[in-house]
Amino acid sequence: MTETSFFDRAFAPFVPFATKDPDYAKLAEIANAAVPFGVFAGVQVTELDADHALAVVPDNVDLRNHVKTVHAAALYLAADIACAVAFVGAAAPDLGEVEWMVVRDSHAAFFKPAVGRIRAIGTVDPRDIRAIAERTEPGKFDVDTRAMLYDDKDVLVGKVSFQYVTKLAARETASA
């Protein structure tokens, strides 16, 4: 019996542009349409490369809480998008083998009231990317990430870390 993934290879739309020389602009464009809740909230990925992703929470009254600061849920959403998309940029050559990726654990710390447009800068632990790239067998891998959240005055308003678990299939090999 073959295992069917409920996630149906969620990273599949990225694969044609996630080569050894990735088209980061196209990957960011795909990411901006990939998460329906992110689209609904207006969170946009504005930068992506092998080292980081930048997701922006717009200055929108609908994303504020009762004390008129950016709601923690909007901050968490932007952090999750920034970190997941940072994984797309960092692990681009291996995205074709990603069967699924989910949040296993997270920790959020908010330092100051978040007001206005907020930038979430997501990064991935390079040791985790190396382990994925150097793997010889399919399996589950931990991916540690973090997002730093800044307001328009470059004040650090929060930090969110995520531990994802991802399942990778056997490497696809090209025919000679």
Side-chain angles (χ1 to χ4, degrees):
M1 180 173 190
T2 304
E3 180 181 325
T4 302
S5 174
F6 148 71
F7 297 99
D8 193 29
R9 299 269 171 125
F11 289 92
F14 296 99
V15 173
F17 309 97
T19 61
K20 289 191 187 299
D21 185 24
D23 182 344
Y24 292 112
K26 186 66 176 176
L27 294 172
E29 178 185 321
I30 294 166
N32 283 330
V35 182
F37 191 57
V39 172
F40 174 76
V43 174
Q44 288 283 302
V45 175
T46 61
E47 292 179 22
L48 175 61
D49 60 28
D51 298 319
H52 81 290
L54 174 67
V56 177
V57 178
D59 185 4
N60 180 334
V61 296
D62 293 330
L63 300 177
R64 295 182 190 155
N65 58 29
H66 63 289
V67 293
K68 299 183 171 78
T69 62
V70 179
H71 196 284
L75 298 172
Y76 187 90
L77 173 65
D80 183 25
I81 290 172
C83 288
V85 176
F87 173 78
V88 167
D94 294 294
L95 288 182
E97 287 88 38
V98 175
E99 293 186 3
W100 50 261
M101 184 167 116
V102 295
V103 173
R104 173 181 282 161
D105 193 17
S106 66
H107 176 78
F110 301 109
F111 309 123
K112 301 202 179 274
V115 178
R117 184 181 75 107
I118 304 298
R119 295 173 297 119
I121 302 170
T123 57
V124 181
D125 188 324
R127 294 170 294 195
D128 297 338
I129 297 303
R130 248 188 330 275
I132 288 169
E134 295 171 355
R135 76 189 189 287
T136 58
E137 298 290 327
K140 293 180 183 175
F141 293 83
D142 289 335
V143 178
D144 291 326
T145 66
R146 119 176 137 170
M148 307 299 279
L149 302 159
Y150 297 92
D151 66 15
D152 274 336
K153 295 179 182 175
D154 277 337
V155 173
L156 180 66
V157 297
K159 176 172 60 172
V160 184
S161 60
F162 294 94
Q163 182 186 57
Y164 297 99
V165 61
T166 186
K167 183 177 179 193
L168 281 84
R171 286 197 181 277
E172 295 179 8
T173 55
S175 301

